[in-house]
Amino acid sequence: MSVRRTLTAVLATLTAAGLLTACGTADGTEDVIRPEGRKDTGINIGPDQNRIRGKKVDAIAAQLPAAVRERGTLRLGASADASPPLGFYATDDRTRIGSEIDLATLIADTLGLKPKFEQVSWENLFVGLDSSKFDGVLSNVTVTEERKEKYDFATYRLDNIAFEARKGSGWKVKGPADVAGKTISVASGTNQEKILVDWSEENVEAGREPVDIKYFQKDTDYYLALQSGRIDAYLGPSPSANYHVASAGQSEIIGTLSGAGDGVQGKIAATTKKDSGLVKAYGAAIDHIIQDGSYAEVLKRWGLSNEAVEKSEINPPGLPKTEN
């Protein structure tokens, strides 16, 4: 997906394909996207975000390294990929919006710093941390044991994946038996693919039918397949699935689980170079916005309340290293 492709453009494609006809609309005057006929769940995708803002907390700001305090800015790396609702371009095709930007701004406010964002490719997020170009990254980075060798983490959201099915399917997914014999799409090379393959193998060993796994290149392809009945469900990142449910109004979440599978609850974290002296300040700032309620407001705004954490954890257990 082009880094400058807004959700409006995505929905235009879906409407042209007949997927969102009379279901999802983007209001050009309000810059709001909502299911057709609904006025209370619109998601603002315009450049004027009216972000929830915080105030400096001196005791937390004092935990910052002196050089960062004196500079007055917090240099943050963000993934250039357009990924609603985490980080994407508004209807002006210039302004970066999303939950990650909102949360990073709140953290910077609490630290008394001005956030300075730079969008780069995924691999360059870590290059930027390694070279100290970035003070931190808030861009859907999962804590892993391998990454903990080079980076420090302060968690701010759960890392979940979700099964999305047509609205009214009457179907819930809690474990492998619930997907036996079902046709489910998933993105190739992802952790959710591995989980689905493992579940399918577990079903076969238990004498149940395997999962019929389908792969699509683009989001629009699986949306269309879902609505036409060619697949029973899609398994993907919980944030994007929740966002599609809220904006299109034709599907529902029928099950969620940790992005790490059964072994450990995956967690998303503010990421900084190991021993940079920043991680405790990040953790304290996250705890503050959780306590004052602004954190919950941001997650609710973007449909991510089900991924909320009760407090930030510094370098918690992460996804285990994979065997070579």
Side-chain angles (χ1 to χ4, degrees):
M1 182 181 288
S2 167
V3 300
R4 302 192 67 80
R5 187 177 186 184
T6 66
L7 186 61
T8 301
V10 174
L11 288 180
T13 302
L14 295 176
T15 302
L19 176 57
L20 295 185
T21 302
C23 285
T25 64
D27 189 317
T29 58
E30 297 179 4
D31 283 332
V32 169
I33 189 165
R34 60 168 68 88
E36 183 72 23
R38 295 178 64 177
K39 297 182 179 180
D40 59 339
T41 57
I43 300 170
N44 178 11
I45 58 171
D48 185 5
Q49 286 287 291
N50 296 317
R51 282 194 176 93
I52 300 161
R53 300 300 299 264
K55 294 182 179 179
K56 180 182 179 182
V57 179
D58 290 336
I60 298 176
Q63 298 183 41
L64 289 166
V68 177
R69 286 201 310 272
E70 292 167 5
R71 189 202 313 139
T73 59
L74 192 63
R75 304 168 305 177
L76 298 168
S79 174
D81 290 336
S83 181
L86 303 178
F88 60 111
Y89 287 95
T91 51
D92 64 353
D93 220 19
R94 295 190 304 273
T95 305
R96 193 75 170 178
I97 62 174
S99 62
E100 304 290 65
I101 290 85
D102 285 2
L103 289 174
T105 300
L106 270 177
I107 291 169
D109 287 344
T110 303
L111 296 172
L113 301 173
K114 181 179 180 180
K116 184 179 179 182
F117 297 98
E118 182 176 345
Q119 281 77 45
V120 297
S121 62
W122 175 259
E123 62 274 13
N124 279 321
L125 292 174
F126 300 96
V127 172
L129 288 172
D130 294 343
S131 64
S132 298
K133 178 182 180 180
F134 299 142
D135 300 310
V137 166
L138 278 87
S139 194
N140 207 42
V141 178
T142 302
V143 181
T144 72
E145 289 303 310
E146 184 173 2
R147 289 173 182 163
K148 280 166 62 177
E149 295 175 359
K150 294 183 65 177
Y151 309 103
D152 284 325
F153 296 93
T155 62
Y156 63 88
R157 211 181 74 242
L158 298 180
D159 176 19
N160 288 333
I161 57 179
F163 288 89
E164 181 182 358
R166 292 184 70 175
K167 182 174 284 188
S169 66
W171 172 36
K172 298 296 181 183
V173 176
K174 295 182 179 179
D178 299 315
V179 296
K182 298 289 188 179
T183 302
I184 300 175
S185 69
V186 71
S188 178
T190 61
N191 203 48
Q192 50 263 30
E193 179 197 21
K194 181 182 183 302
I195 291 171
L196 194 58
V197 169
D198 289 345
W199 279 17
S200 183
E201 292 175 352
E202 186 175 330
N203 281 331
V204 171
E205 291 175 1
R208 297 185 290 262
E209 292 184 59
V211 180
D212 183 9
I213 301 175
K214 300 294 185 184
Y215 298 93
F216 296 101
Q217 295 297 318
K218 299 181 295 184
D219 289 348
T220 50
D221 293 337
Y222 93 72
Y223 292 158
L224 186 58
L226 187 63
Q227 290 309 122
S228 66
R230 288 188 289 122
I231 60 174
D232 296 306
Y234 166 73
L235 176 60
S238 181
S240 57
N242 283 329
Y243 192 74
H244 180 236
V245 167
S247 59
Q250 290 184 319
S251 56
E252 62 184 357
I253 302 301
I254 60 170
T256 60
L257 61 148
S258 167
D262 296 331
V264 62
Q265 172 61 59
K267 292 175 182 175
I268 303 297
T271 308
T272 184
K273 187 177 182 180
K274 198 163 193 66
D275 300 324
S276 67
L278 285 159
V279 72
K280 289 184 178 179
Y282 288 152
I286 294 165
D287 282 342
H288 175 75
I289 64 175
I290 290 173
Q291 292 162 9
D292 73 10
S294 56
Y295 168 83
E297 289 184 61
V298 168
L299 293 191
K300 182 179 179 180
R301 180 186 187 203
W302 294 106
L304 299 176
S305 296
N306 63 342
E307 295 201 344
V309 296
E310 294 182 358
K311 67 182 298 295
S312 181
E313 298 176 80
I314 305 298
N315 295 326
L319 275 63
K321 292 183 178 180
T322 56
E323 297 181 4
N324 294 327

